[in-house]
Amino acid sequence: MTNRRDVLCLGILGGTALLALQEAAVAAGDCPPANSAAIGAALLDKYVAAVNAHDTSSFPEIHTESYIQHSGRSPNGLAAQIDNFRGIFGRMPDVQMRVEDRVIAGDKVVARMSFSATHTQPLQGIAPTGRRFTLRTIDIWRVENGKFAEHWDIVDFQGLQKQLRGE
């Protein structure tokens, strides 16, 4: 069943009067902007490019100052996100990120990601082996004003440990 919000946000009926109502609903924050998928895709691409360049200088353009990290593995905030990735780059000097799949809807960006690197530093309590490994994640971000504002993830640490142990 279609409700009033669906009609307004999705523009189901069309027409000039509905377009005016839709614009008002977007302005009031009741609907995501019509171009939210393009914004989310561009934001994810910018994030991946920054990580692959090992450059956190664009993180203020990618993350809100009050960025919320729900994983509990790092503190909240933009500064903590910068520190977290500087640590990752130090532990995995050749790390590269790849987007395997993406789903973007409304204010959410969901991506199945892989991080590939060489095990040259202690990781997960395992001494360096020199092996190549791939860490797989599923990440969900909430976008606010064109930046990532919140993050949830699922990380395959068990798969990572098996690779590092050569299993």
Side-chain angles (χ1 to χ4, degrees):
M1 174 171 234
T2 303
N3 63 34
R4 182 176 185 272
R5 183 179 186 280
D6 292 337
V7 169
L8 285 176
C9 295
L10 299 175
I12 292 171
L13 299 177
T16 306
L18 183 63
L19 182 58
L21 287 172
Q22 183 183 24
E23 288 173 356
V26 168
D30 295 331
C31 301
N35 62 349
S36 63
I39 291 168
L43 188 56
L44 180 59
D45 290 344
K46 187 173 192 171
Y47 173 65
V48 171
V51 170
N52 286 341
H54 297 196
D55 182 9
T56 59
S57 66
S58 62
F59 275 30
E61 300 165 23
I62 297 169
H63 303 84
T64 63
E65 188 68 38
S66 60
Y67 184 80
I68 299 170
Q69 177 63 289
H70 291 282
S71 72
R73 288 185 306 280
S74 67
N76 294 330
L78 169 62
Q81 192 66 3
I82 290 169
D83 287 344
N84 181 44
F85 271 87
R86 286 181 178 160
I88 289 170
F89 302 149
R91 289 185 306 277
M92 297 179 254
D94 64 345
V95 69
Q96 290 292 289
M97 177 192 289
R98 181 174 168 206
V99 177
E100 306 289 342
D101 288 307
R102 66 175 75 195
V103 177
I104 302 169
D107 66 347
K108 298 296 187 299
V109 174
V110 180
R112 186 171 58 87
M113 312 280 282
S114 62
F115 295 79
S116 296
T118 305
H119 187 203
T120 60
Q121 304 289 322
L123 191 60
Q124 294 280 300
I126 300 172
T129 62
R131 290 186 184 99
R132 291 287 299 164
F133 67 88
T134 300
L135 174 66
R136 291 182 171 78
T137 67
I138 296 175
D139 297 274
I140 304 169
W141 292 274
R142 183 180 63 80
V143 177
E144 179 180 285
N145 298 322
K147 296 181 180 183
F148 290 145
E150 285 186 85
H151 177 254
W152 300 260
D153 63 5
I154 297 172
V155 181
D156 182 14
F157 287 119
Q158 184 177 12
L160 171 63
Q161 289 179 359
K162 285 182 177 180
Q163 291 174 71
L164 297 180
R165 289 191 302 260
E167 297 175 1

